[in-house]
Amino acid sequence: MHPIRLGLVGYGKIAQDQHVPAIHASDRFELVAVATLGQRCPGVPNFSSLAELLAEGPAVDAIAFCTPPQGRFALVEQALKAGKHVLVEKPPCSTLGEALALIDEVNAAGVSGLFAWHSRFAPGVRNAVQWLEGKTLKQVRIDWKEQVRKWHPGQAWIWQAGGLGVFDPGINALSIVTELLPRALFVESANLSVPSNCQSPIAASLQMRSGENVQVVAELDFDHSVNEQWSIELHCDEGVMRLDAGGAQVSIDGVAQSVSEEGEYPAMYGHFARLIDAGKSDLDLQPLRIVADSFFVGSKETVAAFYE
């Protein structure tokens, strides 16, 4: 089977740390070209724009997008018009309207698309899916706290309108929970803390519900200590499962469990390859919808200015 020839748009921190290593480790994909305005990716041709890559670069079958969500819609649309399969890093766009339009355009183009909620591919999520079978879930507790200066240094777009602020990492937790819950998740209330010099929140507290009986609470913080906390607790009548380290670690009633050794980005690219093989797409928007609802119903509190 010939490898899928992949182009990459955007070569920032997430592409360098996660996408490129996962692509190189895959036997299904071959990275053949990169479009970037910043640091150049070694070992492959680099282009200053997607248009230049498509016009002058080597042939590609699929394109992965790692640019900020603002302005991403037009880039993905360009790739779809060229008949390319697309993988779109989370969040797929800066608005629900753009993301919904992309779903229609993927379907119209007859290609495969993946909105890449990478945290759903954390190894512990598979454990949680199996453990929840036949159990009565009552409450979910999310604590998603990290230091933005460590994980997103110098990335001013996060604080601009559409950059999502604390929801940029927090949406990872929401992507896991929406994968695990059997019914839709709704935001009942949200408190958003917005620095006086920013347009996006640096912290948020959410009260949510799924169905009639499952209460979901989330505490999100983007100015936490350097010791990040990415945890989700699943409370059932039969016990408590806890996912830590973003879903890489699992315990049940305090007892550590074994998990797969496959990382989330390699697993995600494996999923993308299978979608292409099957002529299917995976374009779920529930995590982004919950963020949009949080902004819609949330109360906003102005807090101290944020400086790196």
Side-chain angles (χ1 to χ4, degrees), residues 5 26 28 39 45 50 88 93 130 146 171 189-190 222 225 266 278:
R5 298 167 297 183
S26 172
R28 294 302 318 282
Q39 182 179 344
L50 173 59
V88 188
C93 296
Q130 295 172 356
E146 65 183 65
I171 204 170
S189 64
F222 220 174
S225 74

Side-chain angles (χ1 to χ4, degrees), residues 17-296:
D17 291 352
Q18 300 292 349
H19 285 263
V20 171
I23 295 165
H24 286 329
S26 172
D27 61 0
R28 294 302 318 282
F29 290 97
E30 177 187 3
L31 183 63
V32 298
V34 172
T36 177
L37 292 175
Q39 182 179 344
R40 298 175 69 82
C41 179
V44 296
N46 284 248
F47 301 89
S48 61
S49 68
L50 173 59
E52 183 180 303
L53 186 157
L54 291 172
E56 303 176 15
V60 297
D61 306 304
I63 298 176
F65 291 87
C66 301
T67 57
Q70 302 98 319
R72 190 186 285 160
F73 172 80
L75 291 171
V76 181
E77 188 178 47
Q78 187 177 0
L80 292 173
K81 289 179 178 178
K84 310 304 178 184
H85 307 293
V86 294
L87 180 152
V88 188
E89 178 61 84
K90 61 84 188 173
C93 296
S94 58
T95 71
L96 269 176
E98 288 179 340
L100 287 167
L102 283 185
I103 293 175
D104 291 338
E105 294 197 20
V106 168
N107 293 332
V111 299
S112 294
L114 173 61
F115 289 164
W117 305 110
H118 59 81
S119 289
R120 288 181 172 175
F121 299 90
V125 176
R126 303 169 215 173
N127 291 53
V129 169
Q130 295 172 356
W131 184 76
L132 286 171
E133 289 183 2
K135 294 183 174 60
T136 305
L137 183 62
K138 290 297 184 68
Q139 185 182 44
V140 179
R141 167 82 189 193
I142 300 168
D143 286 287
W144 219 259
K145 304 175 181 181
E146 65 183 65
Q147 178 50 250
V148 63
R149 297 174 182 87
K150 174 181 177 180
W151 291 99
H152 295 278
Q155 297 183 24
W157 63 267
I158 287 175
W159 303 113
Q160 299 168 0
L164 299 190
V166 72
F167 286 104
D168 183 73
I171 204 170
N172 294 332
L174 298 174
S175 74
I176 293 174
V177 172
T178 51
E179 180 79 354
L180 297 177
L181 291 172
R183 299 181 64 180
L185 181 61
F186 300 109
V187 180
E188 294 185 314
S189 64
N191 296 312
L192 313 178
S193 300
V194 183
S196 60
N197 61 340
C198 299
Q199 295 179 323
S200 296
I202 197 167
S205 297
L206 311 180
Q207 297 284 335
M208 299 170 283
R209 62 176 172 82
S210 177
E212 298 178 354
N213 298 319
V214 183
Q215 297 298 314
V216 182
V217 297
E219 294 294 332
L220 314 178
D221 187 358
F222 220 174
D223 197 14
H224 190 57
S225 74
V226 294
N227 297 315
E228 53 274 349
Q229 181 184 2
W230 299 319
S231 67
I232 298 173
E233 289 184 352
L234 307 168
H235 293 255
C236 298
D237 289 341
E238 298 84 353
V240 178
M241 171 176 277
R242 181 179 170 107
L243 307 179
D244 282 299
Q249 301 171 3
V250 178
S251 61
I252 299 175
D253 294 332
V255 179
Q257 307 293 306
S258 61
V259 298
S260 168
E261 295 183 0
E262 185 179 30
E264 57 189 56
Y265 274 86
M268 183 183 75
Y269 270 95
H271 180 56
F272 187 38
R274 290 188 292 273
L275 289 173
I276 294 173
D277 292 343
K280 297 181 178 180
S281 293
D282 182 354
L283 302 169
D284 181 45
L285 282 180
Q286 291 310 300
L288 185 61
R289 191 266 304 165
I290 293 169
V291 172
D293 286 352
S294 297
F295 278 101
F296 190 71

